């Protein structure tokens, strides 16, 4: 699988919330990043650091470049979160 990198923000998430992440990858068709939403399914604290496990909620365009697809389980940290959405909140446009 191709490696991906995630961008940064800090917010305390809860199970059921959604977090917007951005995958960065080797450019394809002049595009080197793609944003997507992940639903938080579990939270663990390890050595003082928070780790979230969630499922990708979006259909992605550059799947072959970064390896992420809708339903993919992904682990991430608070510093990887760009935006947050509590359950029931409308998705920002």
């Amino acid at each position: 699988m191709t490696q991906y990198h995630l961008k940064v923000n800090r917010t305390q998430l809860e199970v059921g919330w959604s977090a917007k992440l951005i995958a960065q990858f080797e450019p394809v068709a002049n595009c080197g990043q793609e944003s997507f939403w992940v639903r938080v399914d579990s939270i663990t604290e390890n050595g003082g650091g928070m780790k979230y496990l969630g499922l990708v909620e979006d259909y992605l365009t550059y799947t072959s470049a970064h390896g992420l697809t809708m339903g993919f389980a992904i682990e991430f940290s608070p510093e990887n979160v760009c935006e947050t959405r509590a359950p029931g909140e409308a998705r920002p446009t």
Side-chain angles (χ1 to χ4, degrees):
M1 183 175 112
T2 304
Q3 286 288 78
Y4 56 86
H5 303 280
L6 303 172
K7 285 197 170 178
V8 181
N9 182 12
R10 295 183 192 256
T11 301
Q12 185 79 25
L13 294 170
E14 298 178 26
V15 171
W17 283 41
S18 293
K20 186 176 185 180
L21 309 179
I22 298 177
Q24 295 179 316
F25 48 89
E26 283 294 318
V28 174
N30 293 322
C31 183
Q33 63 183 25
E34 183 169 19
S35 64
F36 57 98
W37 287 92
V38 175
R39 184 188 70 244
V40 177
D41 286 340
S42 67
I43 302 169
T44 57
E45 189 172 345
N46 187 4
M50 301 293 283
K51 289 286 183 187
Y52 302 108
L53 180 63
L55 295 176
V56 175
E57 298 184 299
D58 289 326
Y59 289 106
L60 296 155
T61 302
Y62 298 100
T63 298
S64 61
H66 49 60
L68 300 168
T69 62
M70 184 175 208
F72 185 89
I74 185 170
E75 183 178 73
F76 59 98
S77 301
E79 60 270 8
N80 300 128
V81 177
C82 294
E83 294 180 44
T84 62
R85 187 178 72 226
E89 283 184 9
R91 211 181 253 199
T93 54

